[in-house]
Amino acid sequence: MSFDKQKELLDALKKKSEKEEEKERKFSFLEESEEKDNIKKFRNRVEENKNLPPFVKTKLIRGFDLIREIFPEIKNRGGMILGGYARYCASPLRNPVMPGDLDIYCQNQEVFDKIKLFLEDNDFKKQFESDNAITYIPNSTKYNYLPDVQLIKALKSGRLVSQGSDEEILSNFDFTITRAAIIDSETILVDKDFIEDETNKKIQIKNIHCPVGSVFRINKYSNKGYLIFPSQVVKLFIDWEGRDQNYRDKLHDFLTDVESGKELSKEEIDQLELLLGGVD
């Protein structure tokens, strides 16, 4: 190759490199501008959220057809569908995490008894019962398309509150992404931070029944693709430090026994469940 040809080729490569650098600078500027814009929007949303009530209404997007028949039966008896299934119905994500079951909460013991009777009269088979809930499997042709139903007992025990109005119960839930209640076929009541956190699949802790129980639940949601930031994890350490020594010793001993393979009695299991927070 002649000297002139080599020089021509080098000049062409230099011009190409300069154009690519200019393109990269423009792209970098656009990325930086977009990032700054997103940060500004996020800060604005944070400021707006400060002025919102703890819970707001949002649109039900999906999932109501599956519960259309049973929903009025629950609601007319004073029951409520809260938690994972309601989250699924309200999620702004295109492909939200599917719920594992249908959680029914009750205003009081009388409502719990009515719904329990309804479920058993309609051939829902009891699979498991603890101090906090009864799990039923739909066993009749009328409701066999439903997921497992978890009827939560109406309780107020220590830090655990699973009876009262929808807002009272939701206020006791740990994560914003589970703070959701189906109001009707078009409306869901959610935590004011629900949309932001569910959109970003972010775990934000707003209440702690037991820091160790929260770790188990964080692991559960992490396996479903949700993320937690260190500032939220620190809340668990602070809570643990605030617990009395007797509580910490008892929980440590229970967990050590479980890890060693020791068979716990029903009373010990129930006590461990209460220590961990118990209700999903």
Side-chain angles (χ1 to χ4, degrees), residues 208-225:
I208 301 173
H209 297 138
C210 167
V212 178
S214 293
V215 169
F216 289 136
R217 285 176 49 70
I218 288 168
N219 184 58
K220 169 185 170 182
Y221 279 93
S222 294
N223 289 335
K224 295 178 180 181

Side-chain angles (χ1 to χ4, degrees), residues 78-116:
M80 300 160 280
I81 296 176
L82 277 58
Y85 194 87
R87 173 202 54 77
Y88 167 77
C89 293
S91 177
L93 295 171
R94 189 172 181 180
N95 295 301
V97 174
M98 293 293 290
D101 49 30
L102 193 67
D103 295 329
I104 302 174
Y105 286 77
C106 306
Q107 295 175 24
N108 51 47
Q109 184 61 43
E110 182 182 355
V111 170
F112 175 85
D113 292 338
K114 286 179 182 178
I115 295 177
K116 181 174 182 290

Side-chain angles (χ1 to χ4, degrees), residues 105-109 112 130-133 152-164 169 172 273-274 277-279:
Y105 286 77
C106 306
Q107 295 175 24
N108 51 47
Q109 184 61 43
F112 175 85
S130 71
D131 281 354
N132 297 332
I152 311 300
K153 295 182 179 180
L155 300 171
K156 278 191 179 181
S157 175
R159 299 191 182 197
L160 179 65
V161 178
S162 57
Q163 68 174 22
I169 298 172
N172 195 248
E273 188 176 47
L274 287 171
V279 177

Side-chain angles (χ1 to χ4, degrees), residues 32-86:
E32 187 178 334
S33 298
E34 185 179 352
E35 184 179 358
K36 286 180 178 177
D37 189 46
N38 287 337
I39 290 171
K40 185 178 178 181
K41 285 179 181 177
F42 175 74
R43 285 175 177 166
N44 287 339
R45 283 196 299 270
V46 169
E47 288 302 313
E48 288 169 5
N49 276 7
K50 286 180 181 178
N51 299 320
L52 290 174
F55 296 95
V56 295
K57 289 180 179 178
T58 190
K59 184 180 179 183
L60 186 147
I61 298 172
R62 66 182 68 76
F64 193 80
D65 283 344
L66 190 69
I67 60 169
R68 190 173 296 278
E69 284 190 60
I70 198 169
F71 181 77
E73 301 288 356
I74 295 167
K75 188 171 183 178
N76 292 342
R77 289 171 172 81
M80 300 160 280
I81 296 176
L82 277 58
Y85 194 87

